[in-house]
Structures are given as structure tokens and as C-alpha cells.
Amino acid sequence: MLGQFQPHLAKSILGKGDSEMPGVLDIKWSPDMLNGSPAFGLVNSVGMAELYVLNNSAEVKVTKLLGVNLGENVLGLSLDWSNRINKSTTPQLTTSSSDGCVQIHQLTQGELTPVCSWKAHDYEAWITAFDNWNTNVVYSGGDDCRLKGWDLRQNSTSPVFSSKRHEMGVCSIQSCPIREYLLCTGSYDEHLLVWDGRQMKQPLADLRVGGGVWRVKWHPRHARLILTATMYNGYHVVDAQHSTDGKMAVIHHYDEDVSLGYGADWCYSDSYDNLIATCSFYNHALQLWQFTMISHDVG
């Protein structure tokens, strides 16, 4: 463990008005610069999707670039960028909301223009994500226990597949950024599943990690590693190298000072290959830790 950041050590850079910001339910960096600056998108508790840029100056400042309303009396629940593999300064964003809808937006010339919106799930649409390798395909997961796929070139009223393999709400989805066709999903049912996007009838591998799998993140450079934020059971690093043969295994479990684990991500710097940031809800804690791969981990 490298150490733990206490909340009062994290200095806000959003300016004087940040105390009035609504609750943020998801946030993701843009894989590409926007107007020459790092940028991130978020969705919040008043149903807005917003983009922010970091100003290039001696003191880091964050400026709101734009925002778009996702609907009346809804919470924004998740978002994803289309430009992780196919780089673009005019990407699309997909968002999901508490009314079960999924939205697609096009970013061009400083404007976020709605492309389409549809009712994807009967209850909350907890998560939406692009297929990193084919951004005509969008995945969604909802509190109706459904994992669905949508082809944006077709009528969005009918999914290209609808799976009820998860037994509870589907909370997290991510397309692998390293290996085409691989997809991982997490659910309140405590299971991490890995899929082949070409055949969605059954998952390739299934691992119960406990606690409710709120977030899943592939390692940005190693397709064998998946990080999970399991709400009531800390965080797990999973070896998925043999997932195509139906095998996965936990190689590291971190559960120090965790009180409802909601967030987890890998460091993208090559200098810190297995550095991980995680955060938990009730104790307002941000943890920074790492693990070391050893021979028996990879078998």
C-alpha cells in the first residue's frame, strides 16, 4: 500500500462555486484533448451531462465547456466516450439516466448535440458504454437485470441482443481496450462476467467476487487484468488471461478502510504500471495502492 489520501488533503480546483455542484454519479476523462486541453465529462443528480476542460496555465483551473439536459426529473447515471480506440476531437458520448433511457450526443464545434434517445430499460439504466472497436454498437445495463446491445445504425427500439444472464441489476460494462470483442460486466448479483461480443448468449467466464460489482475496469495496457469495485467487499484485481477457457481468478483483494466501495481505476502512466486509485462512500475516503505481480499470480 502506498498510502491513503484523507478528504481534507484533496484541494478543489473547480473554483468558488464548486460547493454548489450537484451530486456527480459518473465522471470520465476524454481520451483525446479538446481544443488542445485535457477534458472530462460527468453526469449529475439534476439530470445534466457536462463537459469541463483544464486550462493550460501556471495554476490549474477547470472551466465548464458546456452542458446538456438528459430529461425532466431524472438523475444522470453514467457516460462513456467513443474515441478510446478511434481517436477523434469530435467524439460522441453516450449517457444513461434513471428513467431507463440511453442518449447519444455528438460533440462538434464546442456544442454537444443530441443525436438520439430511447427507452432502453424498464427501471434505472445504471450503465452505458461504447464498444471500443465498433462505436456503432452501444451496450447498456439496467435495474431490470438486463444487459443489452444496440446498433446505432438500426432502429433503437429493438436491441440486437438482450441477456438476463445476470440475476440482479447490471451496474457496470466495459469493452476491452486491448483485445477486440472482449467485454466485461458487473452486477448487484456479485458476479463478474467476461463475454465475447460476437456471441452474447452465454459469457465466456464467470467469477463471483462478492459485495455487488459496481464498477469494472480493464487494465489500460494488459488485457489479462480487470479491476473491480465491489461495494461491500472492497476491491479486486482479477486475472482474466484464461477467460476464453472459462477461467478467472482473484490475484489481489484490497479491503482496508473501505465503506461502500464505489470507484476504482488504474493509473494510465507507464511509470506506475499497477498503481490503483479507489474511493469509498460512507467514510469519504480516497485510497491509493498498488500490487505486485508474482509468478504464481499468473500461473
Side-chain angles (χ1 to χ4, degrees):
M1 177 178 172
L2 293 183
Q4 178 171 311
F5 290 101
Q6 297 299 324
H8 65 274
L9 296 179
K11 181 182 178 183
S12 171
I13 57 173
L14 288 179
K16 295 180 180 179
D18 62 333
S19 62
E20 299 177 1
M21 177 172 285
V24 175
L25 288 94
D26 198 11
I27 184 170
K28 289 185 174 74
W29 288 100
S30 168
D32 296 306
M33 298 283 193
L34 297 183
N35 300 326
S37 299
F40 60 87
L42 62 81
V43 289
N44 64 30
S45 60
V46 294
M48 295 293 295
E50 298 178 343
L51 300 187
Y52 291 80
V53 295
L54 272 65
N55 294 335
N56 187 15
S57 58
E59 180 181 357
V60 176
K61 295 182 179 179
V62 175
T63 302
K64 180 178 174 180
L65 183 64
L66 52 88
V68 61
N69 197 322
L70 303 181
E72 295 297 325
N73 301 315
V74 302
L75 285 73
L77 296 178
S78 72
L79 83 159
D80 196 26
W81 297 83
S82 68
N83 54 340
R84 298 192 183 280
I85 300 296
N86 301 311
K87 300 301 183 182
S88 173
T89 57
T90 57
Q92 289 187 328
L93 279 81
T94 180
T95 55
S96 68
S97 48
S98 58
D99 57 355
C101 290
V102 170
Q103 304 87 16
I104 304 295
H105 318 269
Q106 179 69 56
L107 180 62
T108 50
Q109 299 179 342
E111 297 289 336
L112 197 59
T113 304
V115 175
C116 57
S117 176
W118 68 95
K119 181 74 170 178
H121 295 273
D122 292 336
Y123 306 108
E124 290 91 340
W126 290 119
I127 189 72
T128 182
F130 282 103
D131 183 318
N132 286 329
W133 302 86
N134 178 8
T135 55
N136 289 309
V137 175
V138 169
Y139 303 106
S140 65
D143 211 45
D144 54 6
C145 311
R146 295 285 182 177
L147 167 65
K148 297 183 180 183
W150 310 87
D151 190 326
L152 300 181
R153 296 163 295 188
Q154 300 178 9
N155 189 334
S156 58
T157 59
S158 300
V160 293
F161 74 84
S162 178
S163 170
K164 207 173 182 181
R165 179 60 173 75
H166 280 294
E167 296 180 355
M168 299 179 72
V170 180
C171 309
S172 191
I173 303 169
Q174 194 181 46
S175 168
C176 182
I178 306 299
R179 289 181 60 187
E180 190 173 3
Y181 305 121
L182 284 185
L183 180 76
C184 64
T185 62
S187 166
Y188 287 128
D189 67 7
E190 305 186 346
H191 287 257
L192 168 70
L193 304 182
V194 171
W195 306 77
D196 183 329
R198 296 166 294 185
Q199 193 283 104
M200 295 296 294
K201 291 183 179 179
Q202 292 292 332
L204 296 171
D206 179 345
L207 180 66
R208 184 174 183 179
V209 291
V213 187
W214 183 251
R215 283 292 177 263
V216 292
K217 297 289 180 69
W218 292 95
H219 194 289
R221 291 174 298 279
H222 306 299
R224 69 186 307 167
L225 297 178
I226 301 173
L227 174 65
T228 72
T230 43
M231 295 182 289
Y232 299 101
N233 195 27
Y235 312 95
H236 299 79
V237 178
V238 174
D239 186 355
Q241 182 179 24
H242 302 293
S243 60
T244 54
D245 297 322
K247 300 175 183 178
M248 291 192 292
V250 174
I251 57 176
H252 192 83
H253 180 206
Y254 180 89
D255 61 356
E256 296 183 34
D257 194 32
V258 179
S259 181
L260 197 61
Y262 264 169
D265 206 356
W266 303 93
C267 177
Y268 280 60
S269 170
D270 292 335
S271 302
Y272 300 96
D273 196 41
N274 288 323
L275 180 63
I276 293 169
T278 53
C279 57
S280 54
F281 184 77
Y282 287 119
N283 59 348
H284 307 163
L286 172 66
Q287 303 95 10
L288 187 66
W289 52 279
Q290 65 182 166
F291 76 101
T292 302
M293 295 285 288
I294 54 179
S295 58
H296 70 261
D297 285 340
V298 297

